[in-house]
Amino acid sequence: MFGCECFYWNRLSEFDEFNSPEPELFSLPSPLPQWPQGKGFATGKINLGELEVTKITKFESIWSCTVLHGKGTAKSNGVTFYKPVEIPDGFHCLGHYCQPNDHPLRGYVLVACDAATKPEDGDTNNSLLDLPALRKPLNYMLIWSNEPQQGHCGYFWLPNPPVGYKAMGIVVSETPEEPELDEVRCVREDLTESCETCDVILTTDSNHSNYEFQVWKTRPCERGMFCSGVSVGTFFCGTYSNPEDQLDVACLKNLDSTLHAMPTLDQIHALIKHYGPTVFFHPEEDCMPSSVQWFFKNGAILKQVGNSKWEPIDYRGSNLPPGGTNDGAFWIDLPEDDEARNYLKKGNLESAELYVHVKPALGGTFTDIAMWIFCPLNGPATLKIGLMNIAMTKVGQHVSDWEHYTLRVSNFTGELWQAYFSEHSGGGWVDACDLEYIEGNKPIVYSSEHGHASFPHPGLYLQGSSKLGIGVRNDAARSKYFVDSSSKYQIVAAEYLGDGVVTEPCWLQYMREWGPTIVYDSRSELDKIISLLPIFVRFSVENIFDLFPTELYGEEGPTGPKEKNNWEGDERW
C-alpha cells in the first residue's frame, strides 16, 4: 500500500537535529487510591486467552524531528518516536510508540507473552492452534527514511511476519541496518482483529517528491461493548493512505469472554467516587437539570397517537411502554396546565443526578463510565452572526434533553485515561492531561447554556461556521450551579456484571421520544434575522440554512440513553 519503499528529503532545513524539546511525563493531580479487591481489575496484567498483556508507559526516545515545512500536529513542535523499556521478563515488544511534542508524554504500548492457555476441545480443528502465539518476524521492509541528511536520521521498518501471523506496529531506528529480529514479535492471525488509522500524528511533504509521509494512531475497526478488538498503542505510517486499503498491521483480540479485568460493582463505586466530575452550568442558565423521578412526579404526561387523552406518568416510569422501537406511537410531554408546565421547564437542580452506564471498551482493556444527565427542557438557541447575537424564542427548543460524558479508565491500573464530551450530535475525546480538575482527580465538565452540550473548558463554542463567525452559540462557564457526580449518581446499567447485579429502572426501557415533534417555520424566522443585517454582509436564506445545524429547524423530543447508538457502540468522534 506504499507509494515506494523509501524516499528522501534533500533539504537539511526541513529537519533539525533533536532540537525539538521532548515532552515531560504526565501524572494525574493526586495519587491513585487503593481500589477495593476484585478479580483482575487494576492488577497490571490482562489475560486475553492465549496471550497475556501488560501496559508499558516508560519509553526511550529513538528519533525526534521538527518539521519546518510540514502540516498537521507536528507543524510547530515536532514529534518523537520511542521504544518501550523495562519490559517484564517473558514479555515481548509488539511495536514502537510516537506522539507530538506539544503534549506531555502520555501514552502506552502493550507487550505480550504466551499465556500457555489451550483452547477448548471444540476448537481444535484450526490448524493455526498448533503454532505458537508469538513469533519473530522473518525480516523488515524499509517504509521510509530521511537519509541522506547529516546528523540524526530516522528509519521506519515494517516487520514482515511469517505466514499465518500479523505485525502489530512499526519499528524505528537511527541506522540503515535492519533491526534485530528479536526486537518485536508478530501475533498469530486468529488472535488478532483488523484495525484502522485514526488521528493523524504527522503529515508532511517534500518539495522533491510526489508523496507525503504520514503517521497515524490506530484503533480496532469494530468498537463497542460487545467487540473484542484491543488497541496495542502503536502507530502506523506510510507514504499515502487509502481508507479502503487493509492495513499491514493489526490489533489484538480478547478471547476471554469473562472479561475478568473489568471492575466489580464495589470497584465501580470507588472509581466514580474518585473520578466523578463536577458539572458546572452557565451563570445565566434557566433550564436546569432534574432527576427523572422529579420530572415524572411533577406532572410529565404520556401521549399516544390517535388518543386525545393523556396519562400521568408514574414516578418510576412503570406505566411507560417498554421495549420495541421508536415508532412514533408514544411520546412524553409537559403538563397541559401552563403553571405546571412552566414550573417543570425550569428543572430542579437539587434533585439532579447522573445516570451511569458502565461497559467494556477496547476488548475489556478499558472501562467506559458513561454518565447521563437529564434536563426537562432544552432552551432556545442564541444565534451569532458576526458581531450580532440574536436570542431566539423557540428555535432550538425541545422538551427533554439527554446529554452525557464518558470517563475511560485503564483496566490495567484504574487510571483515568480520557474523557468524552458529548456535543449535540457529536463530541470528542480529551486526554486526561488536557482536562481541568477539581478536588484531586475529578475532572470539570462545563454544560453550555440552554443546549447543555458538554465541554472540557469554559468559553464560547460556535456550532456552525467559525470562519465566518456564524452559528449557534454554546456558552460555557463556571457558576454556583453545579452537580457533583461523584456523590449524586445512580448506576442504571452494567450488563457485563450479569443478571441481577444492577437493576435497570423502568424508564430506561422506554424507547420512544421524550418530547413532542414540532416543525417551526424557520424560514420566516431567518428572514427576520437577514432583514437585520447590513446589506454588505447579508447572505441568502439558502446559504444561512447551510451554516446552522439542522436540528434548529424543528423541535423533536430526544430518545432516551438506551436508544442511542453509543449505548452499545463506541462514542462518535
Side-chain angles (χ1 to χ4, degrees), residues 22-79:
E22 291 185 18
E24 298 180 357
L25 289 172
F26 169 80
S27 60
L28 291 168
S30 297
L32 297 185
Q34 185 70 40
W35 305 113
Q37 288 189 343
K39 298 179 181 178
F41 177 74
T43 60
K45 297 177 182 178
I46 296 179
N47 191 301
L48 303 181
E50 289 195 54
L51 288 175
E52 186 174 67
V53 293
T54 189
K55 184 173 70 172
I56 301 295
T57 57
K58 294 184 179 181
F59 300 101
E60 173 187 306
S61 62
I62 302 171
W63 187 65
S64 183
C65 64
T66 301
V67 184
L68 302 181
H69 299 279
K71 302 177 290 184
T73 54
K75 186 174 181 179
S76 56
N77 294 308
V79 296

Side-chain angles (χ1 to χ4, degrees), residues 309-486:
K309 295 182 180 181
W310 50 266
E311 181 181 357
I313 301 174
D314 173 76
Y315 77 98
R316 295 167 299 177
S318 59
N319 60 330
L320 292 172
T325 59
N326 182 24
D327 54 11
F330 296 88
W331 69 93
I332 295 174
D333 206 345
L334 300 176
E336 302 286 341
D337 178 74
D338 286 343
E339 183 176 351
R341 190 178 185 89
N342 291 332
Y343 176 70
L344 214 58
K345 284 181 178 180
K346 295 177 182 179
N348 182 264
L349 187 63
E350 291 183 0
S351 71
E353 59 185 352
L354 278 295
Y355 299 102
V356 180
H357 179 210
V358 186
K359 57 182 179 176
L362 299 177
T365 55
F366 287 86
T367 294
D368 275 2
I369 303 174
M371 309 189 83
W372 294 83
I373 193 162
F374 173 76
C375 298
L377 184 73
N378 189 97
T382 296
L383 307 186
K384 177 177 173 59
I385 303 180
L387 299 177
M388 298 179 59
N389 294 298
I390 305 170
M392 309 304 291
T393 57
K394 290 186 178 181
V395 172
Q397 177 178 283
H398 56 78
V399 174
S400 298
D401 190 22
W402 280 105
E403 297 290 349
H404 78 286
Y405 54 86
T406 298
L407 305 178
R408 179 160 286 180
V409 175
S410 169
N411 288 348
F412 289 97
T413 60
E415 184 179 5
L416 176 66
W417 203 253
Q418 292 177 304
Y420 179 85
F421 293 82
S422 173
E423 303 165 11
H424 304 296
S425 58
W429 287 102
V430 177
D431 289 337
C433 59
D434 293 323
L435 299 172
E436 291 184 24
Y437 293 90
I438 188 172
E439 297 181 5
N441 293 334
K442 298 175 182 178
I444 294 176
V445 174
Y446 294 91
S447 180
S448 65
E449 183 183 8
H450 280 188
H452 309 127
S454 300
F455 297 97
H457 305 287
L460 167 62
Y461 298 83
L462 197 63
Q463 188 183 8
S465 172
S466 299
K467 183 178 181 180
L468 297 174
I470 296 177
V472 179
R473 291 184 67 101
N474 287 273
D475 291 281
R478 193 180 297 201
S479 75
K480 63 181 180 180
Y481 308 119
F482 64 88
V483 179
D484 180 0
S485 66
S486 69

Side-chain angles (χ1 to χ4, degrees), residues 463-466 468 470-472 522-523 526 530 539-553:
Q463 188 183 8
S465 172
S466 299
L468 297 174
I470 296 177
V472 179
S522 301
R523 190 181 190 90
L526 290 175
I530 292 173
F539 290 81
S540 69
V541 173
E542 289 76 13
N543 287 339
I544 283 194
F545 263 55
D546 291 339
L547 295 175
F548 291 121
T550 56
E551 58 262 32
L552 274 188
Y553 307 132

